[in-house]
Amino acid sequence: MFNFQKRLIQIQAFAFKNWVITKRNVFSLSEILFWPLIGLFSVGLLSVFLGLDQQMTGFVLIGIISMSLIQVCQIDVAYALLYDLWSKSMKHTFIAPIYPYQLISGAWLIGMGRSFVVFVLLSLISQIAFGFNVYQPGIFFSFLHLVGLFFISLMIGIGVCILVLLFGYKAEVAAWSITSLMALVCGLYYPVTILPSSVQTLARVLPLTYFLESYRSFYGFGGERISLLGKGFGLIALYLALEAPLLKWVIGHARRKGTFMKLSE
Amino acid sequence: MFLAIHAKEIHKTFQSGCWKKRKKAALQGIDLQVRQGEIFGILGPNGAGKTTLLSILSTLLLPDRGEIHILGLDSIREGHRIREMINLSSGNANFLWSLKVEEVLHFFGMLYGLSGKERKARVESLIQMFELGEHREVSFDRLSTGMKQRLSLAKSLMNDPALLLLDEPTVGLDPNVSIHIRNQIQMLQRSRGMTILLTTHNMKEAEFLCDRIAFLKEGRIQALGTAQSLKKMIRIGDLIKIQYRGEVMEESLLRFEGVINYSISDGLCEIMVDDAEKRVGSLIAQLVRDGTHIQNVNVEQTNLEDVFVQFSKEVDSDPSFCV
């Protein structure tokens, strides 16, 4: 019991760190309020200008809301290491008796909290400004969609951490570019069927494609929603199962190469 | 005697450049034994491998070859358990810029799994110990270098470590702050029986703090012993400068025990002896007996800086000395 409690406290440490920096940093506040709102209004107003019907407007708004949520949540997971990288304090974190899952899950908790705020905010504004009801699929499916997006964020965030430990400062750009690439491939504003077949193949191995299609199916775009959700969660499980040992290996690799010392200088 | 650190044949080579062609051997067969409760210093010129050695002992870096036992545990297989019992403080400390002093300590307290009450009490006692009370609400990026260093030391005691590793603990600090920090380090060892291993460029600091010292050069330990024994080892000797009137009897100097060398010129006699403290009294008495009128006596003892310079110059023919 004592050991379990201790491990929870260690997870709390990373949540505490992200929380304190979030509340004190204007930039992180803009991550929650400014950029998601800019994105939502840009896409929403474009759909009004193009005269899209309610169904098509919903299609693109689901994309931008989902992407905003992922962007905020994954960056928090990546911040678990990025803050240490920027403050050159990585060695102090890794000299402590922590496990990789504690580092990640503490930061993920704050990421989920921040991105949930984004989701609620964007759903309210999309209802008021564009008459789009994000909760049309019902609480259960909305919840599953959110959970899926949280796990996709976790997956991307761990990926960024792996890259940071392997390539240091050169990899920090991954924190912003991976989601943008994913948006391009997974059909954020269009169905993946319009993409070249090779890119479609790539889209089919990314869970976000299935979560977007599943949620859009409630708005009249067809698709077997349960099966799509199943594939999405299945892929997430597969990638996390691959990432967990990879992250552990990368930390070991960093200890062999002296990465923690180099990134603390 | 229980060894806090027992390292055998530690090797570490860093590779860089295209296809890892460039290789730098940072450590080349280090053997080290540090006793529990002692303050052990590692000295050496830049690039000698001090930080690499400290990183390996702190489990932040894995060696290519060799065996290391820290507090009786295998550092390669039981790194996680070792990390629970050690801590590190380094000069030019860096922590998250926007965390306040108190928050930095709470964060690290949580990292070591301290629960609410216990953590609060520990944070308070460390704030008191390092006189950080006035700055508890100041964010890290607004602290002076001295305060950052104190915070770094406070952080390193958060888990009450059995082994404390200090990498240049007073680098870049004002002399008065350095003295304060040195006193705190000494107090930690005395009051808690903590084993402390430190690297430093400051010879006086090493001499003041360390029970034993290892000189590291090009990844090898060149010499190891107490400050006193290291001084004797290089046989530079201490210099006694005597201003006199009259005459100095050279035969007396030649026969006098402990005299290594001497020179006599225009009322000044410079005598190199093995240990000035031990010889100066009887040497002066002898000169007085010989009829020399002593006007002034000045003693220049060998300090660790001389030893450092000497070892830094040493050629690698027979690199290791141990006392």
Side-chain angles (χ1 to χ4, degrees), chain A residues 209-246:
Chain A
T209 307
Y210 298 101
F211 281 99
L212 287 174
E213 287 183 351
S214 167
Y215 211 66
R216 282 165 177 161
S217 71
F218 290 96
Y219 294 85
F221 289 96
E224 179 46 60
R225 59 191 59 133
I226 301 293
S227 156
L228 289 166
L229 278 176
K231 285 178 186 168
F233 278 114
L235 281 172
I236 286 171
L238 174 69
Y239 288 127
L240 287 178
L242 292 173
E243 278 186 327
L246 186 61

mmCIF file of all heavy atoms in Angstrom, chain A residues 209-246:
data_model
loop_
_atom_site.group_PDB
_atom_site.id
_atom_site.type_symbol
_atom_site.label_atom_id
_atom_site.label_comp_id
_atom_site.label_asym_id
_atom_site.label_seq_id
_atom_site.Cartn_x
_atom_site.Cartn_y
_atom_site.Cartn_z
ATOM 1 N N THR A 209 -8.145 8.476 -37.891
ATOM 2 C CA THR A 209 -9.020 8.299 -39.057
ATOM 3 C C THR A 209 -10.327 7.625 -38.620
ATOM 4 O O THR A 209 -11.421 8.062 -38.984
ATOM 5 C CB THR A 209 -8.308 7.396 -40.101
ATOM 6 O OG1 THR A 209 -7.030 7.948 -40.355
ATOM 7 C CG2 THR A 209 -9.114 7.289 -41.379
ATOM 8 N N TYR A 210 -10.201 6.562 -37.823
ATOM 9 C CA TYR A 210 -11.376 5.788 -37.416
ATOM 10 C C TYR A 210 -12.253 6.566 -36.429
ATOM 11 O O TYR A 210 -13.473 6.474 -36.488
ATOM 12 C CB TYR A 210 -10.936 4.445 -36.815
ATOM 13 C CG TYR A 210 -10.191 3.623 -37.826
ATOM 14 C CD1 TYR A 210 -8.806 3.547 -37.819
ATOM 15 C CD2 TYR A 210 -10.879 2.940 -38.833
ATOM 16 C CE1 TYR A 210 -8.111 2.822 -38.764
ATOM 17 C CE2 TYR A 210 -10.199 2.200 -39.788
ATOM 18 C CZ TYR A 210 -8.811 2.152 -39.747
ATOM 19 O OH TYR A 210 -8.141 1.426 -40.707
ATOM 20 N N PHE A 211 -11.638 7.311 -35.539
ATOM 21 C CA PHE A 211 -12.439 8.081 -34.565
ATOM 22 C C PHE A 211 -13.213 9.194 -35.274
ATOM 23 O O PHE A 211 -14.370 9.444 -34.946
ATOM 24 C CB PHE A 211 -11.541 8.641 -33.461
ATOM 25 C CG PHE A 211 -11.198 7.610 -32.442
ATOM 26 C CD1 PHE A 211 -9.988 6.955 -32.481
ATOM 27 C CD2 PHE A 211 -12.112 7.238 -31.456
ATOM 28 C CE1 PHE A 211 -9.672 5.967 -31.561
ATOM 29 C CE2 PHE A 211 -11.803 6.255 -30.531
ATOM 30 C CZ PHE A 211 -10.581 5.609 -30.588
ATOM 31 N N LEU A 212 -12.587 9.833 -36.254
ATOM 32 C CA LEU A 212 -13.286 10.892 -36.991
ATOM 33 C C LEU A 212 -14.443 10.289 -37.788
ATOM 34 O O LEU A 212 -15.563 10.807 -37.776
ATOM 35 C CB LEU A 212 -12.312 11.606 -37.938
ATOM 36 C CG LEU A 212 -11.289 12.531 -37.273
ATOM 37 C CD1 LEU A 212 -10.284 13.054 -38.303
ATOM 38 C CD2 LEU A 212 -11.953 13.707 -36.571
ATOM 39 N N GLU A 213 -14.187 9.173 -38.464
ATOM 40 C CA GLU A 213 -15.241 8.538 -39.273
ATOM 41 C C GLU A 213 -16.379 8.045 -38.389
ATOM 42 O O GLU A 213 -17.555 8.171 -38.749
ATOM 43 C CB GLU A 213 -14.645 7.382 -40.083
ATOM 44 C CG GLU A 213 -13.792 7.870 -41.238
ATOM 45 C CD GLU A 213 -13.238 6.746 -42.096
ATOM 46 O OE1 GLU A 213 -13.370 5.563 -41.710
ATOM 47 O OE2 GLU A 213 -12.650 7.064 -43.152
ATOM 48 N N SER A 214 -16.022 7.486 -37.249
ATOM 49 C CA SER A 214 -17.043 6.978 -36.333
ATOM 50 C C SER A 214 -17.944 8.116 -35.852
ATOM 51 O O SER A 214 -19.168 8.007 -35.874
ATOM 52 C CB SER A 214 -16.357 6.301 -35.146
ATOM 53 O OG SER A 214 -17.291 6.084 -34.121
ATOM 54 N N TYR A 215 -17.350 9.213 -35.464
ATOM 55 C CA TYR A 215 -18.148 10.328 -34.918
ATOM 56 C C TYR A 215 -18.990 10.967 -36.020
ATOM 57 O O TYR A 215 -20.133 11.360 -35.805
ATOM 58 C CB TYR A 215 -17.217 11.375 -34.287
ATOM 59 C CG TYR A 215 -17.861 12.095 -33.112
ATOM 60 C CD1 TYR A 215 -18.177 11.405 -31.950
ATOM 61 C CD2 TYR A 215 -18.173 13.448 -33.185
ATOM 62 C CE1 TYR A 215 -18.777 12.045 -30.880
ATOM 63 C CE2 TYR A 215 -18.776 14.105 -32.116
ATOM 64 C CZ TYR A 215 -19.066 13.397 -30.964
ATOM 65 O OH TYR A 215 -19.668 14.020 -29.900
ATOM 66 N N ARG A 216 -18.406 11.043 -37.207
ATOM 67 C CA ARG A 216 -19.137 11.654 -38.333
ATOM 68 C C ARG A 216 -20.307 10.777 -38.777
ATOM 69 O O ARG A 216 -21.258 11.270 -39.392
ATOM 70 C CB ARG A 216 -18.182 11.897 -39.504
ATOM 71 C CG ARG A 216 -17.322 13.131 -39.298
ATOM 72 C CD ARG A 216 -16.151 13.176 -40.231
ATOM 73 N NE ARG A 216 -15.379 14.415 -40.052
ATOM 74 C CZ ARG A 216 -14.135 14.575 -40.453
ATOM 75 N NH1 ARG A 216 -13.491 13.583 -41.053
ATOM 76 N NH2 ARG A 216 -13.515 15.725 -40.252
ATOM 77 N N SER A 217 -20.215 9.497 -38.447
ATOM 78 C CA SER A 217 -21.306 8.603 -38.853
ATOM 79 C C SER A 217 -22.622 9.000 -38.184
ATOM 80 O O SER A 217 -23.702 8.719 -38.702
ATOM 81 C CB SER A 217 -20.949 7.150 -38.515
ATOM 82 O OG SER A 217 -20.997 6.967 -37.112
ATOM 83 N N PHE A 218 -22.537 9.660 -37.044
ATOM 84 C CA PHE A 218 -23.751 10.125 -36.353
ATOM 85 C C PHE A 218 -24.369 11.339 -37.058
ATOM 86 O O PHE A 218 -25.470 11.749 -36.739
ATOM 87 C CB PHE A 218 -23.427 10.511 -34.900
ATOM 88 C CG PHE A 218 -23.102 9.322 -34.039
ATOM 89 C CD1 PHE A 218 -21.789 8.947 -33.819
ATOM 90 C CD2 PHE A 218 -24.123 8.566 -33.458
ATOM 91 C CE1 PHE A 218 -21.494 7.850 -33.035
ATOM 92 C CE2 PHE A 218 -23.817 7.473 -32.661
ATOM 93 C CZ PHE A 218 -22.495 7.103 -32.450
ATOM 94 N N TYR A 219 -23.631 11.905 -37.980
ATOM 95 C CA TYR A 219 -24.115 13.097 -38.680
ATOM 96 C C TYR A 219 -24.447 12.775 -40.147
ATOM 97 O O TYR A 219 -24.467 13.651 -41.001
ATOM 98 C CB TYR A 219 -23.068 14.218 -38.600
ATOM 99 C CG TYR A 219 -22.864 14.719 -37.173
ATOM 100 C CD1 TYR A 219 -21.978 14.077 -36.318
ATOM 101 C CD2 TYR A 219 -23.589 15.808 -36.685
ATOM 102 C CE1 TYR A 219 -21.799 14.501 -35.019
ATOM 103 C CE2 TYR A 219 -23.403 16.248 -35.378
ATOM 104 C CZ TYR A 219 -22.505 15.593 -34.546
ATOM 105 O OH TYR A 219 -22.344 16.028 -33.257
ATOM 106 N N GLY A 220 -24.666 11.493 -40.413
ATOM 107 C CA GLY A 220 -25.149 11.086 -41.734
ATOM 108 C C GLY A 220 -24.073 10.791 -42.755
ATOM 109 O O GLY A 220 -24.341 10.823 -43.959
ATOM 110 N N PHE A 221 -22.865 10.471 -42.294
ATOM 111 C CA PHE A 221 -21.802 10.175 -43.259
ATOM 112 C C PHE A 221 -21.501 8.672 -43.386
ATOM 113 O O PHE A 221 -20.496 8.284 -43.958
ATOM 114 C CB PHE A 221 -20.514 10.931 -42.892
ATOM 115 C CG PHE A 221 -20.632 12.405 -43.144
ATOM 116 C CD1 PHE A 221 -20.977 13.269 -42.125
ATOM 117 C CD2 PHE A 221 -20.463 12.915 -44.426
ATOM 118 C CE1 PHE A 221 -21.114 14.618 -42.355
ATOM 119 C CE2 PHE A 221 -20.609 14.279 -44.663
ATOM 120 C CZ PHE A 221 -20.943 15.141 -43.624
ATOM 121 N N GLY A 222 -22.386 7.863 -42.894
ATOM 122 C CA GLY A 222 -22.226 6.413 -43.061
ATOM 123 C C GLY A 222 -21.076 5.836 -42.255
ATOM 124 O O GLY A 222 -20.362 6.561 -41.554
ATOM 125 N N GLY A 223 -20.929 4.513 -42.335
ATOM 126 C CA GLY A 223 -19.838 3.848 -41.607
ATOM 127 C C GLY A 223 -20.378 3.085 -40.410
ATOM 128 O O GLY A 223 -21.378 3.481 -39.810
ATOM 129 N N GLU A 224 -19.729 1.972 -40.108
ATOM 130 C CA GLU A 224 -20.133 1.118 -38.986
ATOM 131 C C GLU A 224 -19.406 1.627 -37.735
ATOM 132 O O GLU A 224 -18.238 1.319 -37.504
ATOM 133 C CB GLU A 224 -19.759 -0.333 -39.317
ATOM 134 C CG GLU A 224 -20.098 -1.342 -38.251
ATOM 135 C CD GLU A 224 -21.508 -1.193 -37.674
ATOM 136 O OE1 GLU A 224 -22.478 -1.295 -38.447
ATOM 137 O OE2 GLU A 224 -21.611 -0.925 -36.451
ATOM 138 N N ARG A 225 -20.135 2.428 -36.955
ATOM 139 C CA ARG A 225 -19.467 3.173 -35.870
ATOM 140 C C ARG A 225 -18.783 2.280 -34.837
ATOM 141 O O ARG A 225 -17.679 2.577 -34.404
ATOM 142 C CB ARG A 225 -20.445 4.143 -35.197
ATOM 143 C CG ARG A 225 -21.659 3.521 -34.583
ATOM 144 C CD ARG A 225 -22.673 4.569 -34.195
ATOM 145 N NE ARG A 225 -23.122 5.377 -35.322
ATOM 146 C CZ ARG A 225 -24.414 5.659 -35.574
ATOM 147 N NH1 ARG A 225 -25.365 5.221 -34.785
ATOM 148 N NH2 ARG A 225 -24.742 6.392 -36.607
ATOM 149 N N ILE A 226 -19.425 1.175 -34.452
ATOM 150 C CA ILE A 226 -18.800 0.317 -33.429
ATOM 151 C C ILE A 226 -17.514 -0.302 -33.960
ATOM 152 O O ILE A 226 -16.485 -0.337 -33.290
ATOM 153 C CB ILE A 226 -19.789 -0.790 -32.972
ATOM 154 C CG1 ILE A 226 -21.064 -0.175 -32.405
ATOM 155 C CG2 ILE A 226 -19.144 -1.735 -31.959
ATOM 156 C CD1 ILE A 226 -20.889 0.584 -31.113
ATOM 157 N N SER A 227 -17.609 -0.761 -35.190
ATOM 158 C CA SER A 227 -16.434 -1.383 -35.797
ATOM 159 C C SER A 227 -15.292 -0.354 -35.946
ATOM 160 O O SER A 227 -14.118 -0.656 -35.698
ATOM 161 C CB SER A 227 -16.846 -1.956 -37.155
ATOM 162 O OG SER A 227 -15.763 -2.065 -37.997
ATOM 163 N N LEU A 228 -15.685 0.864 -36.359
ATOM 164 C CA LEU A 228 -14.666 1.917 -36.509
ATOM 165 C C LEU A 228 -14.004 2.232 -35.162
ATOM 166 O O LEU A 228 -12.775 2.363 -35.077
ATOM 167 C CB LEU A 228 -15.299 3.197 -37.083
ATOM 168 C CG LEU A 228 -15.718 3.125 -38.562
ATOM 169 C CD1 LEU A 228 -16.621 4.290 -38.926
ATOM 170 C CD2 LEU A 228 -14.499 3.106 -39.468
ATOM 171 N N LEU A 229 -14.840 2.333 -34.125
ATOM 172 C CA LEU A 229 -14.287 2.601 -32.784
ATOM 173 C C LEU A 229 -13.358 1.462 -32.348
ATOM 174 O O LEU A 229 -12.296 1.687 -31.773
ATOM 175 C CB LEU A 229 -15.416 2.752 -31.765
ATOM 176 C CG LEU A 229 -16.095 4.120 -31.700
ATOM 177 C CD1 LEU A 229 -17.258 4.082 -30.710
ATOM 178 C CD2 LEU A 229 -15.118 5.212 -31.299
ATOM 179 N N GLY A 230 -13.802 0.237 -32.647
ATOM 180 C CA GLY A 230 -13.001 -0.942 -32.291
ATOM 181 C C GLY A 230 -11.625 -0.877 -32.942
ATOM 182 O O GLY A 230 -10.599 -1.129 -32.304
ATOM 183 N N LYS A 231 -11.636 -0.532 -34.251
ATOM 184 C CA LYS A 231 -10.343 -0.446 -34.967
ATOM 185 C C LYS A 231 -9.472 0.670 -34.370
ATOM 186 O O LYS A 231 -8.265 0.519 -34.224
ATOM 187 C CB LYS A 231 -10.585 -0.175 -36.451
ATOM 188 C CG LYS A 231 -11.069 -1.394 -37.213
ATOM 189 C CD LYS A 231 -11.345 -1.046 -38.665
ATOM 190 C CE LYS A 231 -11.965 -2.235 -39.385
ATOM 191 N NZ LYS A 231 -12.500 -1.885 -40.695
ATOM 192 N N GLY A 232 -10.126 1.782 -34.067
ATOM 193 C CA GLY A 232 -9.388 2.924 -33.493
ATOM 194 C C GLY A 232 -8.733 2.544 -32.169
ATOM 195 O O GLY A 232 -7.526 2.735 -31.986
ATOM 196 N N PHE A 233 -9.530 1.958 -31.270
ATOM 197 C CA PHE A 233 -8.975 1.574 -29.961
ATOM 198 C C PHE A 233 -7.937 0.451 -30.106
ATOM 199 O O PHE A 233 -6.947 0.416 -29.374
ATOM 200 C CB PHE A 233 -10.094 1.151 -29.006
ATOM 201 C CG PHE A 233 -10.785 2.332 -28.349
ATOM 202 C CD1 PHE A 233 -12.119 2.630 -28.616
ATOM 203 C CD2 PHE A 233 -10.095 3.156 -27.478
ATOM 204 C CE1 PHE A 233 -12.746 3.724 -28.022
ATOM 205 C CE2 PHE A 233 -10.710 4.251 -26.877
ATOM 206 C CZ PHE A 233 -12.045 4.535 -27.155
ATOM 207 N N GLY A 234 -8.190 -0.450 -31.060
ATOM 208 C CA GLY A 234 -7.240 -1.545 -31.295
ATOM 209 C C GLY A 234 -5.884 -1.004 -31.720
ATOM 210 O O GLY A 234 -4.835 -1.438 -31.207
ATOM 211 N N LEU A 235 -5.911 -0.037 -32.645
ATOM 212 C CA LEU A 235 -4.642 0.542 -33.109
ATOM 213 C C LEU A 235 -3.933 1.289 -31.980
ATOM 214 O O LEU A 235 -2.713 1.205 -31.843
ATOM 215 C CB LEU A 235 -4.898 1.502 -34.285
ATOM 216 C CG LEU A 235 -5.108 0.855 -35.651
ATOM 217 C CD1 LEU A 235 -5.533 1.896 -36.686
ATOM 218 C CD2 LEU A 235 -3.830 0.165 -36.125
ATOM 219 N N ILE A 236 -4.729 1.999 -31.170
ATOM 220 C CA ILE A 236 -4.129 2.716 -30.030
ATOM 221 C C ILE A 236 -3.419 1.725 -29.111
ATOM 222 O O ILE A 236 -2.271 1.942 -28.702
ATOM 223 C CB ILE A 236 -5.205 3.499 -29.246
ATOM 224 C CG1 ILE A 236 -5.641 4.742 -30.034
ATOM 225 C CG2 ILE A 236 -4.679 3.935 -27.882
ATOM 226 C CD1 ILE A 236 -6.848 5.453 -29.452
ATOM 227 N N ALA A 237 -4.120 0.621 -28.806
ATOM 228 C CA ALA A 237 -3.532 -0.391 -27.911
ATOM 229 C C ALA A 237 -2.234 -0.928 -28.503
ATOM 230 O O ALA A 237 -1.229 -1.088 -27.796
ATOM 231 C CB ALA A 237 -4.524 -1.516 -27.677
ATOM 232 N N LEU A 238 -2.260 -1.152 -29.813
ATOM 233 C CA LEU A 238 -1.072 -1.690 -30.491
ATOM 234 C C LEU A 238 0.100 -0.694 -30.382
ATOM 235 O O LEU A 238 1.219 -1.067 -29.998
ATOM 236 C CB LEU A 238 -1.397 -1.973 -31.958
ATOM 237 C CG LEU A 238 -0.214 -2.402 -32.828
ATOM 238 C CD1 LEU A 238 0.271 -3.794 -32.430
ATOM 239 C CD2 LEU A 238 -0.590 -2.384 -34.305
ATOM 240 N N TYR A 239 -0.181 0.565 -30.710
ATOM 241 C CA TYR A 239 0.899 1.559 -30.696
ATOM 242 C C TYR A 239 1.434 1.797 -29.273
ATOM 243 O O TYR A 239 2.637 1.951 -29.075
ATOM 244 C CB TYR A 239 0.442 2.883 -31.314
ATOM 245 C CG TYR A 239 0.274 2.790 -32.816
ATOM 246 C CD1 TYR A 239 -0.913 3.179 -33.438
ATOM 247 C CD2 TYR A 239 1.294 2.295 -33.623
ATOM 248 C CE1 TYR A 239 -1.071 3.079 -34.811
ATOM 249 C CE2 TYR A 239 1.140 2.186 -34.997
ATOM 250 C CZ TYR A 239 -0.043 2.576 -35.588
ATOM 251 O OH TYR A 239 -0.183 2.468 -36.942
ATOM 252 N N LEU A 240 0.518 1.835 -28.304
ATOM 253 C CA LEU A 240 0.992 2.046 -26.920
ATOM 254 C C LEU A 240 1.818 0.854 -26.448
ATOM 255 O O LEU A 240 2.806 1.018 -25.729
ATOM 256 C CB LEU A 240 -0.188 2.302 -25.977
ATOM 257 C CG LEU A 240 -0.861 3.675 -26.116
ATOM 258 C CD1 LEU A 240 -2.053 3.786 -25.171
ATOM 259 C CD2 LEU A 240 0.114 4.813 -25.836
ATOM 260 N N ALA A 241 1.385 -0.344 -26.879
ATOM 261 C CA ALA A 241 2.144 -1.541 -26.499
ATOM 262 C C ALA A 241 3.544 -1.509 -27.117
ATOM 263 O O ALA A 241 4.489 -2.050 -26.554
ATOM 264 C CB ALA A 241 1.401 -2.793 -26.943
ATOM 265 N N LEU A 242 3.664 -0.873 -28.287
ATOM 266 C CA LEU A 242 4.992 -0.748 -28.902
ATOM 267 C C LEU A 242 5.793 0.387 -28.273
ATOM 268 O O LEU A 242 7.008 0.283 -28.088
ATOM 269 C CB LEU A 242 4.849 -0.485 -30.415
ATOM 270 C CG LEU A 242 4.303 -1.626 -31.261
ATOM 271 C CD1 LEU A 242 4.049 -1.167 -32.696
ATOM 272 C CD2 LEU A 242 5.267 -2.805 -31.270
ATOM 273 N N GLU A 243 5.090 1.476 -27.947
ATOM 274 C CA GLU A 243 5.791 2.653 -27.425
ATOM 275 C C GLU A 243 6.332 2.442 -26.010
ATOM 276 O O GLU A 243 7.403 2.976 -25.680
ATOM 277 C CB GLU A 243 4.854 3.865 -27.429
ATOM 278 C CG GLU A 243 4.772 4.539 -28.788
ATOM 279 C CD GLU A 243 3.954 5.817 -28.735
ATOM 280 O OE1 GLU A 243 2.995 5.878 -27.939
ATOM 281 O OE2 GLU A 243 4.251 6.739 -29.482
ATOM 282 N N ALA A 244 5.586 1.707 -25.182
ATOM 283 C CA ALA A 244 6.006 1.542 -23.773
ATOM 284 C C ALA A 244 7.412 0.946 -23.665
ATOM 285 O O ALA A 244 8.294 1.548 -23.030
ATOM 286 C CB ALA A 244 4.985 0.722 -23.003
ATOM 287 N N PRO A 245 7.674 -0.210 -24.316
ATOM 288 C CA PRO A 245 9.052 -0.733 -24.220
ATOM 289 C C PRO A 245 10.059 0.145 -24.959
ATOM 290 O O PRO A 245 11.224 0.227 -24.556
ATOM 291 C CB PRO A 245 8.967 -2.126 -24.849
ATOM 292 C CG PRO A 245 7.732 -2.132 -25.646
ATOM 293 C CD PRO A 245 6.795 -1.149 -25.029
ATOM 294 N N LEU A 246 9.582 0.813 -26.030
ATOM 295 C CA LEU A 246 10.491 1.679 -26.784
ATOM 296 C C LEU A 246 10.951 2.853 -25.907
ATOM 297 O O LEU A 246 12.141 3.198 -25.887
ATOM 298 C CB LEU A 246 9.789 2.198 -28.048
ATOM 299 C CG LEU A 246 10.663 3.011 -29.014
ATOM 300 C CD1 LEU A 246 11.831 2.177 -29.534
ATOM 301 C CD2 LEU A 246 9.842 3.527 -30.193
#
